[in-house]
Structures are given as structure tokens and as C-alpha cells.
Amino acid sequence: MFNWVDGQPADAVSLKDRGLAYGDGLFETIAVKAGQPLLLERHLQRLEAGCGRLAIVADHALIRSELLVFAATLGDGILKLILTRGDGLRGYGINAGAPARRILQGSPPATYPEAHGSSGIRLFPCATRLSEQPLLAGLKHLNRLEQVIARAEWHDADHAEGLMLDMSGRVIEGVFSNLFLVDDGHLLTADLSRCGVAGVMRAELLARAEASGITTRVVDISLEQLQQADEVFVCNSVYGIWPVLGCGPMSWSAGPLTRKLQGIVRTLLGV
Amino acid sequence: MFNWVDGQPADAVSLKDRGLAYGDGLFETIAVKAGQPLLLERHLQRLEAGCGRLAIVADHALIRSELLVFAATLGDGILKLILTRGDGLRGYGINAGAPARRILQGSPPATYPEAHGSSGIRLFPCATRLSEQPLLAGLKHLNRLEQVIARAEWHDADHAEGLMLDMSGRVIEGVFSNLFLVDDGHLLTADLSRCGVAGVMRAELLARAEASGITTRVVDISLEQLQQADEVFVCNSVYGIWPVLGCGPMSWSAGPLTRKLQGIVRTLLGV
């Protein structure tokens, strides 16, 4: 596999990089199929929105063209883009003259068990809660210690993902996925204005569901609502959709709406 | 100036480093005077405590000896140690086999105006609030986007630091300092069990004050308490103590306890 830093082959980055120093940057993990970066427009939209929120100045046309060339070279696999604020001086103050740094990393296709999608998975009920920070909520930024700690809570293969709540006990998302539930035919997913990552697949599913006449609702979700849901699934832009069969004492079955959306995603991701 | 990565001269770090990917690591910024790292034991204590909390396995004896050699070579300046969880695989899961990575960066002595300490400073009242995450509170970890955003709130030279509150409006700290206030002869500083960085100078001052018979209290502090304080100052292990003269509409004078503690710090830092 191969990597680029600012368009050049490289396997290392400057020690002055603010991504390293402060997690001062954003990332996107993009599935690449037959040389094409999937859901590219949504990834670029989120990245640009993140740059706007964090005041990171980047050349988005250059990023787009670089992603396309990189993906074509990669063929099939995972393309991770890290966009940092570039080199820093000492201290938190922003060096307005430093350009953003583009780090592209290629890796082989994901190798999750096929049964995760076909049969479904169990979620580990993480004790780690998501802190509430509206200024960063929704962004796929590089400050991910909460996810690191949460992912370290379980080691067994019986749990393919973890469930994360916020500090107030609201149901938010998985460690590396967004979460949906089906309630009386409606598709629900958590409001991410206080915490959480607004996933590209989540956005795509909300749009596709609406287009198919399915009512969608982005709301606060309680554990009780989750427990009473007719169907539950997790999603991201790499693996698509996994039905959720259980989490701690709660259990569900893979239902018809989950299966319908899996069909749509299969076309999208070519899996 | 010069840098080491795992004991070797280097100016770059692997793209696989989890410090870059997730901010998965810790740092210490250490003043070095005449080849000696100042407050070294407290820096090492905090680092080791942070490693314990984040389950980062590191050779602390090696870190100590490396810091001593690096500081001796540096002479006078600032030594920044970044300790990351080392190289990662794809995803948040921890690669238990990867050793922690030691990044040492040398830079010249800090060049703050002398008047910050002698006359005092004004704090910018930051709108950015600190989110509450007990699992990370107190640690000097690499997830510092809140500080980056807060520091970007002001550009004028009239404010040498910013004041940060938590989501509930409690007074917590500066962007790169801890905050103390003097109330009726008692020394107060914020409880950092929900958010904030437990500074090395803060710990040293609490210990020194207790040893001098000054009552210290680590408590929740309201804006009203801050406003009514007899004296206010900020501190860190590089610049020592700056009296605070104002923040927004609030104002204070540099008082006798602040001056007394500045005398102690002057001896400690040799400034």
C-alpha cells in the first residue's frame, strides 16, 4: 500500500504538524471500488463543512482531484484522508500562513465477516460516554480519545461494535458507526448537535429513505426507545449496514426496513 | 533546535502514528534552565498517571533518562515531550504489541513580555466552553481542539490569556494556564475532575502554599466568586505566575499573596 503527503509519496509527517500536536484536523475514511471513491461528494461536503467550522483553509478542488487520482491508483481498498492545519508554532495560536496538510493513506479492503451484514451483530454497551461539545459535534475531527477508550472496553469477537450514550444518557451512535432504529415504520437516528460524528452513510441513508417515502426523524433517543424499537442497525461508509440483534439485555431481529436499506447500500458500495 | 523520536534525531513521525490519527497520546511542556528540566518529577508523575488512565504502556525510566540527556543538550529552552500510543492498525482498536513513541522537541526559551509577570495581564472571556469528560479530565492529552478554538477567539495583544468555563458555567482555567484566586487569604483553584488540565505548576503551588501555612481549596468556582476574589492569577510551568488585572467587565489588583507566590516561583524557575 502507499501514502501521499501533499501530493508526494511519503510515509512520515513533520513533527511540527498540528494534527500530531493537538489533533487539529479532520479525516475521512473512504471506500474505493474499481478505482472510484464511493460517496465522494458527501465526504467532500462533510470535510468542507468541518474546515468551515474549524477555520481550516484548504484547496478543496485540489483535494478532490487528488482523491480521484489516488483512488484510481488504489483500485480497491480504503482511502483515508487526514487534513491537518499544517505546521504550527509553539502554542495553540494558529499560524495563519501555514497551509493545511493533505495526508492520503491507502489500505486493503476491509475484511469484516460477511455474517455481520447477513445475520447481524451484537453491540457492546460501552461505559464510556460522549462528552457534549456543540462546537465540535458532527465533525469527523482528529480528537478521538473517547472512541479509543470506548473501543478498548471489549476484546471478544461476540461484539462487532459498541453502543455509546452521551453524558445525559441519550443514545448517540456506535464507536465507528451511526445508529438507526425503526419505530412503527419510521426511521430514527440521533440528533448530533451536541456530540457524535455525522456519518456520510447516515446522511445518504436519510436522503434515500426520504426519497423512498420512508419518514425519517433526527431526534433525541432514549435507551427505552431503543429497547422498544422494531429494528436497529448500525452503518458506516465502509461496511454499509449491519443489523443489530442485541446489546446487553436488549434484543431485536433484523427486520424488513433494514433489509430494504441494505439492498440500496449494496448497490451503492458494490458489496 | 533539534528533535528526537525514540531517542534518535528525527524531524518526522510515521503516518501510522496514533497521535496523528486520533490524538491518542499525552504531552508535557517542560522549562529547561542550564541543562536542567524544571519540575521534572511532577511532569513525570503526571505523564505516568496519564499513561495509567489511557492504558499506554511506556518505559518511564527510559523517558526520565532521555529527558535528562535532552535537557542537558538543550541548555536553556523549552522541551516538549509527546508520548503517543505508537503505530496503529486501521481503526480505533489498540495494537497491544506497538510500543509507545517518544517524541522530544527542543525550542528556544519562551519570550513573553516581562510586564506580564510584573504588572499583570488581562484575560479574554472565551465563549468556547470546556466539555465535561471525567475519563479525560486533568490529563494533558493530545485532544486539544477546544483550546485551539478558544485561542483563536482573540488576536489583540491586550489579552495575554483567555478564561475558559465549563458547559455548566463553572470557572475552570486559562487556555494554556491554570487559574487561582485568593479569597479572604485562602487560595482557591478549580476542581478538575470533569474537565481541564491539572497543571504541574498548579500542583507545585498547591503544595508550596500548604507548606507555607496558606489554606488551599480545590473547589467548584462560580463567575460570581471569581468576580469577588481579592486576587486572581494564572500560572503554568513555563512562565510561572501572571497576576490577572481584568477579564471583560471584572477587575482585580495584583495582591500580596500573588506576589509572595511569584517569589517562590522565581526561585523554582530561575526567572
Side-chain angles (χ1 to χ4, degrees):
Chain A
M1 287 293 130
F2 59 105
N3 309 300
W4 296 354
V5 175
D6 289 337
Q8 300 297 320
D11 290 312
V13 67
S14 164
L15 294 184
K16 292 181 186 165
D17 193 275
R18 289 176 60 106
L20 173 67
Y22 307 128
D24 191 5
L26 300 157
F27 69 112
E28 294 289 335
T29 306
I30 305 173
V32 176
K33 193 90 184 173
Q36 297 297 316
L38 306 181
L39 296 169
L40 178 63
E41 298 312 314
R42 289 201 184 274
H43 282 291
L44 289 170
Q45 267 169 30
R46 179 173 62 180
L47 185 73
E48 198 162 345
C51 286
R53 294 260 294 281
L54 296 181
I56 292 177
V57 181
D59 181 341
H60 292 281
L62 176 60
I63 291 170
R64 173 193 297 271
S65 64
E66 220 169 77
L67 288 176
L68 287 169
V69 178
F70 192 95
T73 315
L74 183 62
D76 289 288
I78 310 285
L79 190 177
K80 180 170 178 177
L81 161 67
I82 297 179
L83 186 74
T84 77
R85 206 186 297 271
D87 282 356
L89 312 170
R90 218 163 46 71
Y92 295 118
I94 291 169
N95 179 1
R101 178 168 284 132
R102 310 177 306 279
I103 300 171
L104 272 62
Q105 298 173 277
S107 56
T111 55
Y112 298 111
E114 196 271 335
H116 285 6
S118 56
S119 307
I121 62 153
R122 287 189 61 81
L123 298 179
F124 183 85
C126 294
T128 305
R129 300 286 184 101
L130 292 163
S131 63
E132 298 170 29
Q133 176 50 274
L135 297 175
L136 298 175
L139 303 187
K140 202 166 172 81
H141 57 66
L142 296 174
N143 279 201
R144 300 263 76 107
L145 273 171
E146 289 177 339
Q147 282 73 26
V148 170
I149 298 173
R151 183 60 191 84
E153 286 191 49
W154 80 95
H155 303 282
D156 61 279
D158 293 344
H159 298 92
E161 239 290 29
L163 174 68
M164 297 193 76
L165 314 180
D166 70 11
M167 289 290 168
S168 307
R170 300 178 195 97
V171 172
I172 305 295
E173 62 190 6
V175 176
F176 54 94
S177 312
N178 287 118
L179 182 117
F180 279 86
L181 48 96
V182 178
D183 177 35
D184 201 19
H186 303 320
L187 190 63
L188 274 64
T189 191
D191 174 34
L192 303 180
S193 56
R194 299 180 202 90
C195 58
V197 177
V200 156
M201 184 57 80
R202 170 180 177 274
E204 182 71 18
L205 288 175
L206 285 171
R208 296 273 181 154
E210 284 286 353
S212 309
I214 300 162
T215 311
T216 64
R217 291 201 293 146
V218 177
V219 289
D220 287 341
I221 296 173
S222 67
L223 263 178
E224 193 176 20
Q225 275 176 289
L226 177 67
Q227 180 154 24
Q228 292 169 357
D230 302 318
E231 307 173 32
V232 177
F233 65 87
V234 288
C235 67
N236 79 20
S237 62
V238 169
Y239 69 68
I241 289 177
W242 291 337
V244 176
L245 305 178
C247 177
M250 300 181 281
S251 66
W252 308 274
S253 309
L257 188 45
T258 303
R259 293 307 188 191
K260 178 177 177 177
L261 292 169
Q262 277 188 310
I264 292 173
V265 167
R266 208 163 287 131
T267 316
L268 274 174
L269 299 186
V271 288
Chain B
M1 286 295 130
F2 59 105
N3 310 300
W4 295 354
V5 174
D6 289 337
Q8 301 297 319
D11 290 312
V13 67
S14 163
L15 294 183
K16 291 181 185 163
D17 192 274
R18 290 177 59 107
L20 173 67
Y22 305 129
D24 191 5
L26 301 158
F27 69 112
E28 294 289 335
T29 306
I30 305 173
V32 176
K33 193 92 184 175
Q36 296 297 317
L38 305 181
L39 296 168
L40 178 62
E41 297 312 315
R42 290 201 184 274
H43 283 290
L44 289 170
Q45 266 170 30
R46 178 173 62 182
L47 184 74
E48 197 162 345
C51 285
R53 295 260 293 279
L54 296 181
I56 293 177
V57 181
D59 182 340
H60 293 281
L62 176 61
I63 290 170
R64 173 194 297 270
S65 63
E66 220 168 78
L67 288 176
L68 288 169
V69 178
F70 192 95
T73 315
L74 184 61
D76 289 288
I78 309 286
L79 190 177
K80 180 170 178 177
L81 161 68
I82 297 178
L83 186 74
T84 76
R85 206 185 298 271
D87 282 356
L89 311 171
R90 218 164 45 71
Y92 295 118
I94 292 169
N95 178 1
R101 177 168 284 131
R102 310 176 307 279
I103 299 171
L104 272 62
Q105 298 173 278
S107 55
T111 55
Y112 297 112
E114 195 271 336
H116 285 5
S118 55
S119 308
I121 62 151
R122 287 189 61 82
L123 297 179
F124 183 85
C126 294
T128 305
R129 300 287 185 101
L130 292 162
S131 63
E132 298 170 29
Q133 177 49 275
L135 296 175
L136 299 175
L139 303 187
K140 202 165 172 82
H141 56 67
L142 297 174
N143 278 201
R144 300 264 75 108
L145 273 171
E146 290 178 338
Q147 281 72 26
V148 170
I149 298 173
R151 184 59 192 83
E153 286 191 49
W154 80 94
H155 302 283
D156 61 277
D158 294 344
H159 298 93
E161 240 290 27
L163 174 68
M164 298 193 77
L165 313 180
D166 70 12
M167 290 288 168
S168 307
R170 299 179 197 98
V171 172
I172 304 295
E173 61 190 7
V175 176
F176 54 94
S177 312
N178 287 118
L179 183 116
F180 279 87
L181 50 94
V182 178
D183 178 35
D184 201 18
H186 303 321
L187 191 63
L188 274 65
T189 192
D191 174 35
L192 303 180
S193 57
R194 299 181 201 88
C195 57
V197 177
V200 155
M201 183 58 80
R202 171 180 177 272
E204 182 71 17
L205 287 176
L206 286 170
R208 295 273 181 156
E210 284 286 352
S212 310
I214 300 161
T215 311
T216 64
R217 292 200 291 146
V218 177
V219 289
D220 287 342
I221 296 174
S222 67
L223 263 179
E224 193 177 20
Q225 275 177 290
L226 177 67
Q227 179 155 25
Q228 293 169 356
D230 301 317
E231 307 174 32
V232 177
F233 65 86
V234 288
C235 67
N236 80 19
S237 63
V238 168
Y239 68 70
I241 289 178
W242 292 337
V244 176
L245 305 178
C247 178
M250 299 181 281
S251 67
W252 308 274
S253 310
L257 188 46
T258 302
R259 294 307 189 191
K260 179 178 177 176
L261 292 169
Q262 278 189 307
I264 291 173
V265 167
R266 209 163 285 131
T267 315
L268 274 173
L269 299 186
V271 291

